[in-house]
Amino acid sequence: MLVTFVRFGKWLESRARGKAGQALRKLLALQADRACLLVDGGEQEVPASRVQVGDLVLIRPGDRIPVDGIVVEGASAVDEAMVTGEPLPVAKAAGDPVTGATVNGSGRLVVRATRIGEETLLSQIVRMVAAAQGDKAPIQRLADRVASWFVPTVVVLALLTFTTWYWLADKPFLFAFKLAIAVLVIACPCALGLATPTAIMVGSAVGLSRGILFKRASVLEQVSRLQVVLFDKTGTLTSGLFAVTDILPVHGVSAGELLGTAVAAEQVSSHPLAKAIVAHARTLDVVASAVDDVEEIGGHGVRCTLDGMVVLAGSLRMLGDHGIETSALTAELDRLAGEGKATVLVAANGRLLGAIALADTPKAGAVEAIRRLKRIGLRTVMVSGDRRPAALAVARTLGIDAVEAEVLPADKQVIVRNYQQQGCCVGMVGDGINDAPALARADIGIAIGSGTDVAKETGDIILVRSDVVDVARAIEIGELTLDRIRQNLFWAFIYNIIGIPVAAGLLYPIFGVILKPEFAGLAMAFSSVSVVSNSLLLKWSTRRVA
């Protein structure tokens, strides 16, 4: 019975642990085995491992894409749920990137391979998940220290149990021997050993299913201790793309006339503000008139001729240099500057027509991310190289607590260090090369998935979907995982603290009850199963992390 119960418990334990590791096996199963190469105008079926960088791969409707690459021909919708967690397919056409292991829709695609084998995104994700699930969290050190003393302590307690009952209590040898064996059997270092890794495996799998990659187990624990989160502005909180917010014609000029003149001048410019004005006009079906004698005045604007009129579109300084009177809009320009908006002034034949205001647009979900972080109790700080009024305006829109403005890229890590010197546990969220030093310096670096490879290599957490709300989700998952680890350790300790004295015969003098070795073995087995099962319940508790 003893052997049967122990083996039964081990079987239950292995099954439960197997469920905890399902995420990694599912990832490995996503890899495509075959690929269709286009060679000399013909098609050739080969193992996916034979594809080389630069090869052209045919992706038929319904096929799983075998490599990372760029579409060179065709159009389709690709199911990228494996990468992003989003259920809606993403439209792909020539020039768009595709990711290996995603599934092609109804169209035919020809893809040029850019990353193969171990270099593909899926392989990188597999390595990160395996590393995270095999890593030890700092809290595991406590369990390891206890476990190192556990076995010799239990052996000593078993000998004391036998000695006490056989020599001091004058009980039969078999009675004392059974109790000593029960002490050895019921003691469960396995529960202590399983408490942390099983929770880490489930927590990292839950994060992966939501497009959040934790690089190490320690990150899942440390992220729950964050006090301050620093955000890079452009590309992280904002899209980096300007949008028209205000059209301000002077008295006697219509908004349509102002926009039409502005788009005629700006259609020839490659400046981001000019592109934003042209895009806005296109949404309103405003047709740009042809212009002549175009001259771009570096960093200030455009001068051109429209229907015989000399048109200027650019900065306040440029119009001032050309003697254009702008006092009619002074109050409005001051207001827009206070809101952190950029302005393009337009004049024709020496007369001011008006101004167009533009602003960097916040990313979808940025406001929600900041709100959730505040609800958790974290302080949020935006780090930006913009002028302070512009940075403050964005911060007010998003609800951010503090702003570090006019910061040079090299100084971002100094900002991180300053907060750390105040005793804060600091997280840094960024996406660019210039964010990499700060990501490395922070206690937890969080890299946006659409950012540079340098940022993603440096970050401790990667947000695959590039959704800034995932910053809050990652912290919430970390907190839930750490809570589950603490629960596991608590019950593992309590089980041994209560179980060993009962097995030693503590209840016998009062109730005449002893614990047989075979039932002690069953209790030991179920203690491990209960710890693993408690970890698996983390999947249900994280459902509220929407």
Side-chain angles (χ1 to χ4, degrees):
M1 287 181 68
L2 174 58
V3 173
T4 300
F5 283 146
V6 170
R7 296 307 302 165
F8 176 64
K10 288 295 182 183
W11 177 76
L12 290 175
E13 177 188 322
S14 62
R15 282 204 63 186
R17 292 185 68 181
K19 290 182 180 180
Q22 281 179 352
L24 197 55
R25 291 193 296 276
K26 286 180 180 178
L27 281 176
L28 292 170
L30 291 174
Q31 294 173 321
D33 297 325
R34 307 287 296 176
C36 181
L37 290 181
L38 294 181
V39 182
D40 298 327
E43 300 177 6
Q44 182 180 351
E45 287 281 342
V46 299
S49 58
R50 284 185 52 189
V51 180
Q52 301 296 315
V53 172
D55 285 350
L56 292 178
V57 182
L58 173 64
I59 313 296
R60 300 184 183 93
D63 282 357
R64 191 175 294 277
I65 300 174
V67 294
D68 293 358
I70 301 293
V71 177
V72 296
E73 182 185 320
S76 184
V78 175
D79 180 0
E80 295 187 334
M82 180 277 296
V83 176
T84 64
E86 297 294 338
L88 294 178
V90 179
K92 299 290 181 180
D96 291 334
V98 292
T99 303
T102 55
V103 180
N104 186 26
S106 57
R108 176 183 182 274
L109 296 176
V110 177
V111 173
R112 187 177 301 279
T114 57
R115 291 190 293 191
I116 60 173
E118 295 297 314
E119 298 175 355
T120 62
L121 178 62
L122 177 63
S123 295
Q124 293 176 22
I125 291 174
V126 168
R127 286 198 299 272
M128 290 178 191
V129 172
Q133 293 188 343
D135 187 26
K136 282 189 177 182
I139 198 171
Q140 178 68 19
R141 295 170 192 162
L142 171 63
D144 289 346
R145 285 198 299 271
V146 172
S148 66
W149 289 94
F150 189 85
V151 173
T153 301
V154 169
V155 172
V156 171
L157 289 174
L159 292 173
L160 286 174
T161 300
F162 177 82
T163 302
T164 300
W165 288 110
Y166 184 66
W167 296 105
L168 300 181
D170 199 25
K171 291 293 182 180
F173 174 84
L174 189 58
F175 179 90
F177 186 70
K178 281 185 176 181
L179 292 184
I181 293 298
V183 169
L184 290 174
V185 172
I186 201 170
C188 190
C190 300
L192 291 172
L194 292 170
T196 299
T198 52
I200 291 294
M201 291 177 75
V202 176
S204 59
V206 168
L208 180 63
S209 68
R210 287 162 171 76
I212 303 168
L213 280 177
F214 297 92
K215 283 190 173 182
R216 297 184 303 278
S218 55
V219 174
L220 271 164
E221 179 180 339
Q222 291 171 345
V223 74
S224 63
R225 297 195 172 104
L226 289 180
Q227 297 166 290
V228 177
V229 180
L230 307 181
F231 287 90
D232 170 56
K233 182 178 82 71
T234 306
T236 301
L237 290 174
T238 65
S239 64
L241 302 175
F242 284 88
V244 173
T245 59
D246 304 85
I247 298 178
L248 305 170
V250 298
H251 182 69
V253 177
S254 68
E257 180 184 354
L258 170 59
L259 183 59
T261 306
V263 72
E266 298 288 27
Q267 66 180 322
V268 297
S269 175
S270 59
H271 193 279
L273 297 182
K275 290 182 177 180
I277 290 174
V278 172
H280 181 73
R282 193 176 293 124
T283 62
L284 300 177
D285 296 326
V286 175
V287 179
S289 302
V291 294
D292 302 309
D293 303 324
V294 178
E295 177 189 2
E296 283 211 51
I297 302 172
H300 292 290
V302 176
R303 180 184 181 278
C304 62
T305 302
L306 172 64
D307 297 333
M309 299 184 298
V310 177
V311 174
L312 298 171
S315 66
L316 179 65
R317 177 179 173 180
M318 187 183 85
L319 267 65
D321 291 343
H322 285 77
I324 308 296
E325 177 59 48
T326 60
S327 58
L329 290 178
T330 298
E332 290 292 341
L333 293 177
D334 289 342
R335 176 182 65 82
L336 294 171
E339 295 175 358
K341 295 179 179 179
T343 52
V344 174
L345 282 76
V346 182
N349 278 350
R351 182 173 70 94
L352 181 67
L353 299 183
I356 298 176
L358 305 97
D360 190 0
T361 53
K363 273 190 173 181
V367 173
E368 171 67 9
I370 300 302
R371 184 186 66 79
R372 287 177 68 158
L373 290 172
K374 286 186 172 182
R375 188 178 65 196
I376 296 171
L378 300 180
R379 186 183 179 200
T380 55
V381 180
M382 187 177 75
V383 182
S384 173
D386 288 352
R387 293 179 298 108
R388 189 162 189 81
L392 287 172
V394 174
R396 282 194 297 269
T397 301
L398 299 178
I400 287 176
D401 297 319
V403 171
E404 299 284 348
E406 300 177 24
V407 176
L408 297 175
D411 293 336
K412 290 184 178 180
Q413 61 177 324
V414 177
I415 301 295
V416 173
R417 186 171 65 246
N418 289 342
Y419 279 95
Q420 288 173 329
Q421 289 174 346
Q422 296 172 23
C424 298
C425 186
V426 179
M428 174 70 195
V429 187
D431 70 322
I433 292 175
N434 60 351
D435 297 321
L439 290 171
R441 175 75 195 185
D443 297 289
I444 297 292
I446 304 175
I448 300 296
S450 60
T452 64
D453 289 340
V454 174
K456 288 184 280 189
E457 285 293 329
T458 311
D460 301 301
I461 298 172
I462 299 175
L463 309 182
V464 178
R465 299 186 301 183
S466 301
D467 184 355
V468 71
V469 180
D470 284 341
V471 175
R473 293 189 182 107
I475 295 171
E476 290 166 354
I477 290 172
E479 289 181 339
L480 290 169
T481 302
L482 185 58
D483 285 345
R484 197 64 55 168
I485 291 172
R486 287 170 174 159
Q487 291 173 21
N488 287 348
L489 289 173
F490 172 80
W491 288 114
F493 279 121
I494 289 297
Y495 161 81
N496 284 290
I497 289 171
I498 295 175
I500 292 175
V502 170
L506 181 66
L507 301 180
Y508 182 77
I510 305 172
F511 302 104
V513 175
I514 63 169
L515 187 64
K516 293 183 178 181
E518 54 267 33
F519 293 108
L522 187 62
M524 179 273 291
F526 274 100
S527 69
S528 296
V529 174
S530 65
V531 165
V532 178
S533 301
N534 189 48
S535 296
L536 291 172
L537 289 175
L538 182 61
K539 291 182 179 180
W540 299 95
S541 62
T542 52
R543 287 192 171 185
R544 68 174 184 264
V545 183

